[in-house]
């Protein structure tokens, strides 16, 4: 069988060699070689990127996961705690004293407690006519007064700073601030 | 793009909108809480409540503190103020905030008016006047805060000090003169605040506001030290107790300022600790913090 095949191949070759060889058109050859080149390059590229692509996908997944891990708590929970607030300021301990023998109750109202009437109660000092309370307040300027018997607000008789509103109501003014600097120009 | 660059870009693309959404979500939550406060108003003025809700929400979205608005609305509801009235005040506060003026003074004035039961017509007039005054004070304060549009927490105190100094009797012209002198002398906001505080204390001691203004301008222009200036009220008090008249005291003050400017004797002359904050108030008794610098013990920093 093999001998027969070899014989047939030899005969075929002899038959082909007698045929006239035609020259292929240049353009066709060029196009064919370019196509072959492209196919070869595409094959090479696919071969090159297969392994890094897997690596990038893993890195991307890690990056996405890390981002979600940070951003989601910030979105729904931690944001409140980390919202920028006022800068910390100095605090002062202040004692308020009101003198009234006949008063039944005395409350302190002012900017520091939104003028709420039932928050800060002055206590009578023993059997005296003095009422007193101590508060810790932040640095600032505050208007305040004493609400006597739950009915009327008076300014602090011991304070020299008084401000009036357009209706003539008088409040006391308290300035809580340190003096900066030691001598020198203002 | 390199793979590492792509990863960084992806993180930025994902994280930035999420964080922006977080900020917006928080503001939305704050707005919702304020609106809930509003609907706790009750009453039959539904249109008024709707107006108030819209105004409060807009104010919060523009950056006004939701906490301040909540407190304001709660107190207004407690004292049975009309929702439309409250909405008007919040709108003023919002306008001030957008112009770089801390709106706290408007809220404080409103809360005081609620507590005192001031009529709506009077309060509206008063707060409108306060708004104009605050714009003026902001203009003066901006020269010393060095920040352009925004006024920080120290600037907030400066604006309040300007406002209250005017309330105690200084005119706009006098404040402007003080401001100009301070600016020419290069005073920062804290130093200018000290000048205003001393002015208020001197007026509180009964001195004429015009004279106080002149004194302070002289002190600033002559470069008098801060300790000398804040010691002036104690000097006035001491001279009063010695029986001197206001004219004598005024002349004495001018002399002391000139002396201090020339680097002469300490203005107090008696070495009783003038210049120590609150030393002048110790003799008054009563409220140790009232009306002057803190006479109480500083509680230290938080």
């Amino acid at each position: 069988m093999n001998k027969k095949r070899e014989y047939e191949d030899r005969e075929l070759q002899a038959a082909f060699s007698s045929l006239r060889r035609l020259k292929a058109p240049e353009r066709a050859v060029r196009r064919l070689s370019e196509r072959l080149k492209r196919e070869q390059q595409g094959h090479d590229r696919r071969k090159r990127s297969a392994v890094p692509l897997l690596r990038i996908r893993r890195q991307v997944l890690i990056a996405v996961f890390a981002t979600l891990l940070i951003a989601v708590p910030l979105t729904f929970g931690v944001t409140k705690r980390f919202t920028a607030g006022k800068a910390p300021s100095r605090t002062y301990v202040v004692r308020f004293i009101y003198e009234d023998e006949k008063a039944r109750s005395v409350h302190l109202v002012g900017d520091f407690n939104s003028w709420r009437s039932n928050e800060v109660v002055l206590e009578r000092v023993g059997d005296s006519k003095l009422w007193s309370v101590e508060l810790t307040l932040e640095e600032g300027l505050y208007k305040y007064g004493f609400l006597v018997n739950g009915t009327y607000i008076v300014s602090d008789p011991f304070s020299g700073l008084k401000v009036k509103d357009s209706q003539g109501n008088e409040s006391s003014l308290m300035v809580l601030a340190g003096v900066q600097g030691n001598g020198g120009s203002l | 793009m390199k793979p590492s660059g792509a990863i960084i870009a992806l993180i930025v693309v994902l994280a930035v909108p999420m964080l922006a959404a977080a900020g917006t979500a928080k503001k939305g939550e704050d707005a919702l809480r304020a609106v809930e406060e509003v609907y706790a108003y009750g009453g039959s003025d539904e249109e008024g409540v709707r107006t108030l809700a819209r105004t409060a929400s807009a104010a919060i979205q523009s950056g006004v503190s939701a906490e301040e608005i909540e407190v304001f609305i709660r107190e207004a509801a407690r004292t049975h103020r009309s929702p439309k009235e409250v909405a008007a005040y919040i709108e003023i506060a919002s306008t001030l905030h957008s112009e770089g003026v801390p709106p706290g003074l408007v809220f404080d004035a409103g809360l005081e008016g609620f507590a005192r039961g001031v009529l709506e017509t009077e309060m509206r007039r008063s707060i409108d006047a306060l708004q104009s005054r605050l714009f003026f004070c902001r203009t003066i304060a901006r020269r010393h805060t060095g920040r352009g549009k925004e006024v920080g927490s120290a600037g907030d105190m400066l604006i309040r000090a300007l406002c209250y100094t005017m309330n105690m009797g200084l005119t706009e012209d006098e404040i402007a003169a003080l401001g100009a002198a301070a600016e020419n002398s290069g005073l920062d906001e804290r130093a200018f605040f000290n000048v205003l505080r001393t002015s208020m204390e001197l007026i509180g001691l009964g001195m004429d506001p015009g004279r106080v203004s002149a004194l302070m301008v002289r002190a600033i222009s002559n470069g008098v030290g801060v300790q000398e200036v804040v010691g002036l009220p104690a000097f006035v008090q001491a001279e009063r107790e010695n029986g001197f008249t206001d004219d004598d005291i005024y002349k004495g003050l001018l002399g002391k300022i000139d002396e201090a400017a020339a680097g002469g004797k300490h203005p107090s002359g008696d070495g009783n600790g003038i210049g120590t904050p609150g030393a002048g108030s110790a003799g008054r008794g009563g409220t140790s913090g009232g009306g002057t610098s803190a006479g109480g013990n500083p509680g230290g920093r938080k």
Side-chain angles (χ1 to χ4, degrees), chain B residues 14-156:
Chain B
L14 284 177
V16 166
M18 273 192 170
L19 291 174
T24 308
K26 186 181 182 315
K27 274 193 175 173
E29 256 184 62
D30 293 341
L32 190 60
R33 206 165 46 235
V35 170
E36 281 170 359
E37 201 69 46
V38 165
Y39 281 101
Y41 232 93
S44 58
D45 185 5
E46 285 185 16
E47 196 204 326
V49 171
R50 269 198 299 277
T51 305
L52 179 53
R54 255 195 324 269
T55 312
S57 191
I60 291 169
Q61 293 294 331
S62 71
V64 179
S65 159
E67 196 183 324
E68 279 187 311
I69 288 178
E70 276 176 52
V71 167
F72 194 71
I73 292 175
R74 196 181 306 129
E75 289 305 305
R78 192 180 64 79
T79 51
H80 312 295
R81 309 299 289 206
S82 124
K84 280 186 181 159
E85 177 196 0
V86 179
Y89 303 146
I90 292 176
E91 191 151 351
I92 289 174
S94 184
T95 304
L96 286 167
H97 176 79
S98 66
E99 292 296 324
V101 181
L105 258 175
V106 169
F107 287 128
D108 288 342
L111 289 166
E112 184 187 353
F114 298 159
R116 290 185 184 273
V118 176
L119 294 175
E120 181 176 340
T121 44
E122 291 292 334
M123 250 184 80
R124 281 195 189 235
R125 205 179 5 240
S126 176
I127 290 192
D128 282 341
L130 177 61
Q131 182 183 20
S132 306
R133 181 171 283 183
L134 283 171
F135 278 131
F136 172 75
C137 292
R138 177 212 52 185
T139 307
I140 305 287
R142 265 188 194 171
R143 293 182 191 144
H144 302 279
T145 57
R147 281 201 210 194
K149 191 174 181 188
E150 224 182 295
V151 173
S153 61
D156 179 20

Side-chain angles (χ1 to χ4, degrees), chain A residues 52 56 59-61 63-64 66-68 70-72 74-76 79-81 83 86-98 109-118 136 138-147 152-167 169-186, chain B residues 3-4 6-7 10-11 14-15 18-19 21-23 25-26 29 33 71 74-75 78 105 108-109 111-112 115-116 118 122-123 125-126 153 157-158 160-161 164 167-168 187-188 190-195 197 200-205 216 219-220 223-230 275 277 284-302:
Chain A
I56 287 170
Q59 286 169 341
V60 162
L61 282 173
V64 167
T67 304
L68 287 172
I70 295 165
V72 167
L74 279 177
T75 303
F76 295 108
T79 305
K80 284 181 192 172
R81 289 205 292 278
T83 301
K86 268 174 30 175
S89 59
R90 187 174 281 193
T91 58
Y92 295 85
V93 178
V94 185
R95 179 165 288 281
F96 295 87
I97 297 176
Y98 180 68
V109 290
D111 293 340
F112 39 78
N113 67 351
S114 306
W115 292 84
R116 280 191 284 261
S117 55
N118 52 357
T136 301
E138 281 184 11
E139 186 176 71
L141 282 82
Y142 303 99
K143 280 170 70 180
Y144 70 97
F146 298 110
L147 176 65
Y152 56 94
I153 297 175
V154 297
S155 60
D156 183 351
F158 292 119
S159 166
L161 290 187
K162 305 240 194 291
V163 289
K164 280 188 182 174
D165 62 15
S166 55
Q167 293 81 47
N169 295 312
E170 194 176 77
S171 307
S172 293
L173 181 66
M174 175 170 53
V175 181
L176 297 179
V179 176
Q180 305 289 328
N182 297 311
S185 289
L186 281 167
Chain B
S4 56
I7 293 163
L10 186 67
I11 291 172
L14 284 177
M18 273 192 170
L19 291 174
K26 186 181 182 315
E29 256 184 62
R33 206 165 46 235
V71 167
R74 196 181 306 129
E75 289 305 305
R78 192 180 64 79
L105 258 175
D108 288 342
L111 289 166
E112 184 187 353
R116 290 185 184 273
V118 176
E122 291 292 334
M123 250 184 80
R125 205 179 5 240
S126 176
S153 61
M157 281 178 57
L158 181 58
R160 281 178 184 259
Y164 290 136
N167 186 289
M168 290 181 78
L187 297 193
D188 64 11
R190 181 59 86 170
F192 191 29
F193 173 82
N194 284 325
V195 168
R197 173 167 63 178
M200 285 192 277
E201 290 178 3
L202 289 172
I203 296 169
L205 285 170
M216 290 295 112
I220 294 168
V224 175
V226 63
Q227 295 293 348
E228 283 79 8
V229 168
V230 299
R284 294 183 187 209
T287 306
S288 55
T292 63
S293 56
N297 303 315
R301 292 190 180 276
K302 273 186 178 177

